[in-house]
Amino acid sequence: MPQSAEKILDHAPLFREPEYRQMLAEKKLNFECPHQDQVVTDQREFTETWEYREKNFAREALVINPAKACQPLGAVFAATGFERTMPFVHGSQGCVAYYRSHLSRHFKEPASAVSSSMTEDAAVFGGLKNMVDGLANTYQLYDPKMIAVSTTCMAEVIGDDLHSFIENAKEEGSVPRDFDVPFAHTPAFVGSHIDGYDGTVKGILEHFWKGQERTEAPGTINIIPGFDGFCVGNNRELKRLLDLMGVSYTFIQDASDQFDTPSDGEYRMYDGGTKIQDVRNALNAEATLSLQHYNTRKTLEYCEEVGQATASFHYPLGVQATDEFLVEVSAISGKEIPEAIRLERGRLVDAMADSQSWLHGKKYALYGDPDFVHAMARFIMETGGEPTHCLATNGTKAWEDQMKELLASSPFGKEAQVWAGKDLWAMRSLLFTEPVDLLIGNSYGKYLERDTGTPLIRLMFPIFDRHHHHRFALMGYQGGLRVLTTILDKIFDKLDRETSETGVTDYSYDLTR
């Protein structure tokens, strides 16, 4: 049926109209050269078997739907966490459009970033002219306090040298000689977004700290949150806890305000972020703590080189992980953990005990960044659940060994399996051959949910098909309560669907769970 002003259909119901169904059927028949339905059914059933799983896991030269993104995305996100900083990607416009759209679709906020707009001629002759013009335009048009430069595949393949290019651009007057233009080489064909984040944060700290004299301020702490799609809720929750303790701290790379700007009639291209002066002063901190170890390995090495004590965590979520973080902060700062925080811990423990009968023995499949999977597996075991499949496409052998050690520490983890470097097509085989009760990851898991029937809980970047999850904390005791509630809601929703028919599937007329 044609659209009309009186009845506007969204695309989903529109394509269910008879004429569209006929159009799509004819397209499939005439242009897609489909196999017979039985052939498709047979092949699908084969892909659900253990035999296919072995073939699937033997893949070496092909990756299907990896649970990671590329380095420059992490670099762009990292840059947004500093005061009036414009991310500048030395590469093509199309690449930058991907980073911006990925961030804006998750946070439902504008994600500003610029490109040096490299095209075929730059790929042959180098991108120096693009850098000179691009920095000049960025400085004049967007009035930043800092421009943070990263690279894409094109710039890395041809070997463009960011340091010399930026120096040449300053010589030609693109930006003032003393204007801050830190940089990081972030080749998209190796590593992942967490490596791009790490390189960019390190590059910014090195830009401000290199050659400066350090005067240690005892008890002061730098906090690096890592690449975190829930930074809006998490950073604010952690600041609340640190403020309750009276700790002197600096959040290095704080994107919580940048991706949560208010609608009050004023457009903010930049909002919040770690102040440039605070970044300079952060050299004098006694210690730098990372909330995500695998996001910040190079950065922490650099912090150690300048004389700071360092420690790292794996996304402090749940009881024990939050305990460890707060105890470390207390030891460095000399500040006691107040009674108010102790009570929050007790309330989380009480909530977990209240729901124990529904959580005990539930089996989970987890995927995402290495620190997140570590944190979720640990929290699940605290609830009496079993993290049966733990997968991180950007996980390393060191992460795999660390995960196995964690899982072996609890009877709920002894049967768990750890998969570093595997993708979501491998996860599909796991879900068919060794089914679980719940799947935890990002929006890309919805296709696994449809295919395997495993209910998906969205707790990992990116989340495109739900709104505002990132505004609520996952870290800390309050964040643990949020995660606990989210898991329970999914369990109860599934139970309600399975007992919806009175006298057929529901004999007890349950109202209370």
Side-chain angles (χ1 to χ4, degrees):
M1 63 169 237
Q3 294 277 44
S4 68
E6 288 73 31
K7 188 175 182 180
I8 302 293
L9 294 180
D10 184 54
H11 73 282
L14 180 67
F15 285 115
R16 290 197 290 266
E17 293 296 310
E19 58 267 43
Y20 286 101
R21 286 181 178 274
Q22 181 181 352
M23 177 191 73
L24 295 171
E26 291 177 352
K27 173 180 177 292
K28 180 178 181 179
L29 180 64
N30 296 324
F31 298 103
E32 295 181 10
C33 303
H35 290 286
Q36 295 295 320
D37 290 344
Q38 188 58 50
V39 174
V40 174
T41 298
D42 292 345
Q43 186 63 32
R44 175 188 171 81
E45 290 176 353
F46 172 63
T47 65
E48 300 172 9
T49 64
W50 277 90
E51 181 184 356
Y52 179 80
R53 170 173 162 170
E54 292 176 2
K55 295 179 182 294
N56 191 4
F57 276 72
R59 280 185 289 125
E60 294 181 358
L62 175 67
V63 177
I64 304 173
N65 204 5
K68 66 173 183 128
C70 61
Q71 283 207 49
L73 174 67
V76 169
F77 175 80
T80 62
F82 295 89
E83 178 189 15
R84 292 190 68 83
T85 296
M86 178 60 75
F88 182 106
V89 184
H90 186 46
S92 69
Q93 291 180 350
C95 292
V96 179
Y98 157 65
Y99 315 139
R100 293 180 63 192
S101 64
H102 229 59
L103 293 169
S104 64
R105 287 168 179 169
H106 173 83
F107 290 108
K108 307 301 184 236
E109 294 282 346
S112 298
V114 298
S115 164
S116 60
S117 301
M118 292 177 67
T119 53
E120 291 84 349
D121 58 341
V124 176
F125 301 108
L128 175 58
K129 185 177 185 304
N130 300 70
M131 178 70 73
V132 171
D133 293 343
L135 287 179
N137 289 336
T138 303
Y139 181 76
Q140 292 294 330
L141 292 173
Y142 304 118
D143 190 28
K145 289 191 73 170
M146 181 165 75
I147 301 173
V149 180
S150 56
T151 53
T152 65
C153 298
M154 183 189 295
E156 290 296 327
V157 167
I158 65 177
D160 281 0
D161 183 343
L162 291 184
H163 176 71
S164 65
F165 278 23
I166 292 168
E167 288 301 307
N168 273 284
K170 287 187 173 183
E171 287 292 332
E172 296 197 26
S174 296
V175 296
R177 166 56 60 183
D178 60 352
F179 187 78
D180 295 312
V181 188
F183 65 90
H185 285 274
T186 54
F189 44 78
V190 294
S192 73
H193 57 285
I194 64 175
D195 301 294
Y197 178 95
D198 191 10
T200 298
V201 174
K202 180 196 173 188
I204 290 172
L205 295 184
E206 194 170 24
H207 172 83
F208 288 106
W209 293 0
K210 191 172 184 179
Q212 301 301 309
E213 184 177 348
R214 179 172 180 266
T215 303
E216 183 173 303
T220 58
I221 300 174
N222 297 326
I223 306 288
I224 306 178
F227 188 104
D228 184 12
F230 284 75
C231 64
V232 173
N234 281 337
N235 291 8
R236 291 171 182 170
E237 175 61 15
L238 291 169
K239 289 179 197 176
R240 184 186 69 85
L241 292 172
L242 296 172
D243 289 341
L244 281 172
M245 293 177 65
V247 176
S248 175
Y249 66 92
T250 298
F251 250 78
I252 302 292
Q253 199 280 315
D254 179 12
S256 57
D257 289 341
Q258 180 64 36
F259 289 117
D260 191 29
T261 58
S263 290
D264 57 1
E266 176 186 351
Y267 170 65
R268 297 165 174 83
M269 178 171 286
Y270 312 101
D271 200 14
T274 308
K275 294 188 178 300
I276 302 300
Q277 188 56 49
D278 289 345
V279 178
R280 291 191 174 97
N281 295 339
L283 172 63
N284 302 319
E286 178 180 342
T288 293
L289 306 183
S290 165
L291 302 183
Q292 298 190 69
H293 169 77
Y294 290 99
N295 285 240
T296 52
R297 288 164 287 179
K298 292 180 180 179
T299 302
L300 289 185
E301 286 177 5
Y302 178 67
C303 292
E304 289 175 358
E305 289 175 11
V306 301
Q308 295 177 350
T310 63
S312 59
F313 304 89
H314 300 289
Y315 209 88
L317 184 164
V319 180
Q320 290 180 306
T322 304
D323 289 351
E324 291 171 1
F325 171 69
L326 294 178
V327 166
E328 183 70 22
V329 168
S330 177
I332 296 170
S333 66
K335 303 291 185 180
E336 295 291 328
I337 300 174
E339 177 69 4
I341 295 178
R342 191 189 70 81
L343 291 174
E344 289 183 15
R345 181 187 191 276
R347 292 178 188 125
L348 173 58
V349 173
D350 180 66
M352 292 164 64
D354 290 343
S355 305
Q356 182 65 22
S357 62
W358 294 102
L359 297 166
H360 181 83
K362 285 289 187 291
K363 295 181 181 293
Y364 298 78
L366 317 174
Y367 65 92
D369 290 342
D371 293 292
F372 171 80
V373 174
H374 187 285
M376 279 306 310
R378 191 176 191 183
F379 181 65
I380 284 166
M381 291 191 295
E382 288 180 344
T383 69
E386 301 176 18
T388 305
H389 306 301
C390 302
L391 183 149
T393 306
N394 48 359
T396 61
K397 181 63 168 61
W399 171 79
E400 187 173 317
D401 292 341
Q402 195 170 42
M403 283 293 300
K404 289 178 178 178
E405 181 180 351
L406 169 70
L407 295 165
S409 68
S410 167
F412 300 110
K414 292 190 183 299
E415 301 299 321
Q417 301 172 82
V418 183
W419 307 100
K422 298 300 182 182
D423 53 35
L424 293 187
W425 189 249
M427 177 63 84
R428 179 181 181 274
S429 283
L430 295 173
L431 294 178
F432 274 123
T433 53
E434 296 180 82
V436 298
D437 298 297
L438 296 164
L439 175 67
I440 296 180
N442 59 28
S443 285
Y444 289 100
K446 73 186 299 177
Y447 304 108
L448 293 174
E449 181 179 38
R450 290 177 180 178
D451 206 5
T452 68
T454 312
L456 171 66
I457 299 173
R458 296 160 174 81
L459 291 174
M460 180 69 207
F461 177 92
I463 298 176
F464 293 153
D465 58 340
R466 298 292 186 273
H467 290 202
H468 311 306
H469 287 214
H470 63 278
R471 300 179 193 273
F472 299 93
L474 305 185
M475 293 185 185
Y477 304 123
Q478 294 287 354
L481 186 59
R482 164 78 177 176
V483 174
L484 182 74
T485 305
T486 302
I487 292 173
L488 287 166
D489 281 350
K490 183 64 72 170
I491 291 172
F492 294 142
D493 286 344
K494 181 175 184 290
L495 184 60
D496 284 341
R497 287 194 301 272
E498 293 172 348
T499 59
S500 61
E501 197 171 350
T502 304
V504 178
T505 57
D506 182 10
Y507 288 95
S508 56
Y509 308 103
D510 281 345
L511 175 64
T512 304
R513 302 295 191 196

